[in-house]
PDB file of all heavy atoms in Angstrom:
ATOM      1  N   VAL A 933      16.060   3.793  -3.440  1.00  0.00           N
ATOM      2  CA  VAL A 933      14.862   3.736  -4.292  1.00  0.00           C
ATOM      3  C   VAL A 933      14.619   5.110  -4.942  1.00  0.00           C
ATOM      4  O   VAL A 933      14.244   5.183  -6.121  1.00  0.00           O
ATOM      5  CB  VAL A 933      13.616   3.251  -3.507  1.00  0.00           C
ATOM      6  CG1 VAL A 933      12.411   3.112  -4.440  1.00  0.00           C
ATOM      7  CG2 VAL A 933      13.881   1.931  -2.812  1.00  0.00           C
ATOM      8  N   GLY A 947       7.528  11.829 -13.086  1.00  0.00           N
ATOM      9  CA  GLY A 947       7.562  12.049 -11.645  1.00  0.00           C
ATOM     10  C   GLY A 947       8.881  12.252 -10.927  1.00  0.00           C
ATOM     11  O   GLY A 947       9.932  11.752 -11.314  1.00  0.00           O
ATOM     12  N   LYS A 967       3.095  16.234   8.169  1.00  0.00           N
ATOM     13  CA  LYS A 967       3.343  17.679   8.111  1.00  0.00           C
ATOM     14  C   LYS A 967       4.461  17.989   7.103  1.00  0.00           C
ATOM     15  O   LYS A 967       4.328  18.878   6.264  1.00  0.00           O
ATOM     16  CB  LYS A 967       3.743  18.155   9.519  1.00  0.00           C
ATOM     17  CG  LYS A 967       3.821  19.633   9.707  1.00  0.00           C
ATOM     18  CD  LYS A 967       3.808  19.960  11.210  1.00  0.00           C
ATOM     19  CE  LYS A 967       4.060  21.429  11.448  1.00  0.00           C
ATOM     20  NZ  LYS A 967       5.488  21.787  11.480  1.00  0.00           N
ATOM     21  N   ARG A 972       6.269  20.123   1.969  1.00  0.00           N
ATOM     22  CA  ARG A 972       7.124  19.974   0.782  1.00  0.00           C
ATOM     23  C   ARG A 972       6.331  20.027  -0.524  1.00  0.00           C
ATOM     24  O   ARG A 972       6.716  20.687  -1.478  1.00  0.00           O
ATOM     25  CB  ARG A 972       7.882  18.648   0.906  1.00  0.00           C
ATOM     26  CG  ARG A 972       8.672  18.221  -0.296  1.00  0.00           C
ATOM     27  CD  ARG A 972      10.070  18.829  -0.292  1.00  0.00           C
ATOM     28  NE  ARG A 972      10.798  18.436  -1.477  1.00  0.00           N
ATOM     29  CZ  ARG A 972      11.701  17.464  -1.516  1.00  0.00           C
ATOM     30  NH1 ARG A 972      12.018  16.816  -0.417  1.00  0.00           N
ATOM     31  NH2 ARG A 972      12.307  17.156  -2.636  1.00  0.00           N
ATOM     32  N   LEU A1003      -0.768  -5.380  14.801  1.00  0.00           N
ATOM     33  CA  LEU A1003      -1.967  -4.531  14.668  1.00  0.00           C
ATOM     34  C   LEU A1003      -1.579  -3.051  14.577  1.00  0.00           C
ATOM     35  O   LEU A1003      -2.141  -2.296  13.774  1.00  0.00           O
ATOM     36  CB  LEU A1003      -2.929  -4.784  15.835  1.00  0.00           C
ATOM     37  CG  LEU A1003      -4.018  -5.852  15.627  1.00  0.00           C
ATOM     38  CD1 LEU A1003      -5.038  -5.407  14.587  1.00  0.00           C
ATOM     39  CD2 LEU A1003      -3.480  -7.213  15.232  1.00  0.00           C
ATOM     40  N   LEU A1022      -9.800  16.147   1.624  1.00  0.00           N
ATOM     41  CA  LEU A1022     -11.231  16.470   1.555  1.00  0.00           C
ATOM     42  C   LEU A1022     -11.424  17.834   0.901  1.00  0.00           C
ATOM     43  O   LEU A1022     -12.296  18.021   0.049  1.00  0.00           O
ATOM     44  CB  LEU A1022     -11.845  16.471   2.957  1.00  0.00           C
ATOM     45  CG  LEU A1022     -12.014  15.104   3.639  1.00  0.00           C
ATOM     46  CD1 LEU A1022     -12.360  15.277   5.116  1.00  0.00           C
ATOM     47  CD2 LEU A1022     -13.078  14.259   2.939  1.00  0.00           C
ATOM     48  N   THR A1039      -9.075 -15.145   3.765  1.00  0.00           N
ATOM     49  CA  THR A1039      -9.232 -16.588   4.004  1.00  0.00           C
ATOM     50  C   THR A1039      -8.852 -17.020   5.411  1.00  0.00           C
ATOM     51  O   THR A1039      -9.243 -18.095   5.852  1.00  0.00           O
ATOM     52  CB  THR A1039      -8.310 -17.386   3.047  1.00  0.00           C
ATOM     53  OG1 THR A1039      -6.949 -17.024   3.339  1.00  0.00           O
ATOM     54  CG2 THR A1039      -8.608 -17.089   1.597  1.00  0.00           C
ATOM     55  N   SER A1060     -15.548   1.241   5.132  1.00  0.00           N
ATOM     56  CA  SER A1060     -16.204   2.279   5.943  1.00  0.00           C
ATOM     57  C   SER A1060     -15.782   3.661   5.486  1.00  0.00           C
ATOM     58  O   SER A1060     -16.603   4.564   5.322  1.00  0.00           O
ATOM     59  CB  SER A1060     -15.865   2.085   7.425  1.00  0.00           C
ATOM     60  OG  SER A1060     -16.240   0.788   7.821  1.00  0.00           O
ATOM     61  N   THR A1071     -11.815   8.128  -3.543  1.00  0.00           N
ATOM     62  CA  THR A1071     -12.100   6.691  -3.543  1.00  0.00           C
ATOM     63  C   THR A1071     -11.146   6.000  -2.571  1.00  0.00           C
ATOM     64  O   THR A1071     -10.013   6.438  -2.375  1.00  0.00           O
ATOM     65  CB  THR A1071     -11.958   6.070  -4.945  1.00  0.00           C
ATOM     66  OG1 THR A1071     -10.579   6.130  -5.343  1.00  0.00           O
ATOM     67  CG2 THR A1071     -12.829   6.773  -5.961  1.00  0.00           C
ATOM     68  N   MET A1096       2.269 -23.297  -0.451  1.00  0.00           N
ATOM     69  CA  MET A1096       1.661 -22.076  -1.006  1.00  0.00           C
ATOM     70  C   MET A1096       1.373 -22.267  -2.501  1.00  0.00           C
ATOM     71  O   MET A1096       0.282 -21.992  -2.980  1.00  0.00           O
ATOM     72  CB  MET A1096       2.658 -20.927  -0.797  1.00  0.00           C
ATOM     73  CG  MET A1096       2.059 -19.573  -0.827  1.00  0.00           C
ATOM     74  SD  MET A1096       1.110 -19.234   0.641  1.00  0.00           S
ATOM     75  CE  MET A1096       2.394 -18.664   1.724  1.00  0.00           C
ATOM     76  N   ARG A1104       2.198 -20.080 -10.045  1.00  0.00           N
ATOM     77  CA  ARG A1104       3.444 -19.331  -9.818  1.00  0.00           C
ATOM     78  C   ARG A1104       3.209 -18.239  -8.784  1.00  0.00           C
ATOM     79  O   ARG A1104       2.058 -17.862  -8.522  1.00  0.00           O
ATOM     80  CB  ARG A1104       3.952 -18.704 -11.118  1.00  0.00           C
ATOM     81  CG  ARG A1104       3.014 -17.640 -11.680  1.00  0.00           C
ATOM     82  CD  ARG A1104       3.643 -16.876 -12.849  1.00  0.00           C
ATOM     83  NE  ARG A1104       2.726 -15.894 -13.432  1.00  0.00           N
ATOM     84  CZ  ARG A1104       2.536 -14.650 -12.975  1.00  0.00           C
ATOM     85  NH1 ARG A1104       3.188 -14.212 -11.911  1.00  0.00           N
ATOM     86  NH2 ARG A1104       1.677 -13.838 -13.567  1.00  0.00           N
ATOM     87  N   THR A1127     -14.990   2.243  -5.835  1.00  0.00           N
ATOM     88  CA  THR A1127     -14.649   2.559  -4.445  1.00  0.00           C
ATOM     89  C   THR A1127     -15.198   1.487  -3.506  1.00  0.00           C
ATOM     90  O   THR A1127     -16.198   0.841  -3.813  1.00  0.00           O
ATOM     91  CB  THR A1127     -15.111   3.979  -4.045  1.00  0.00           C
ATOM     92  OG1 THR A1127     -14.408   4.340  -2.839  1.00  0.00           O
ATOM     93  CG2 THR A1127     -16.624   4.088  -3.813  1.00  0.00           C
TER      94      THR A1127
END
Side-chain angles (χ1 to χ4, degrees):
V933 184
K967 190 163 173 275
R972 172 86 182 260
L1003 268 292
L1022 289 168
T1039 62
S1060 304
T1071 66
M1096 201 73 85
R1104 65 171 177 84
T1127 196

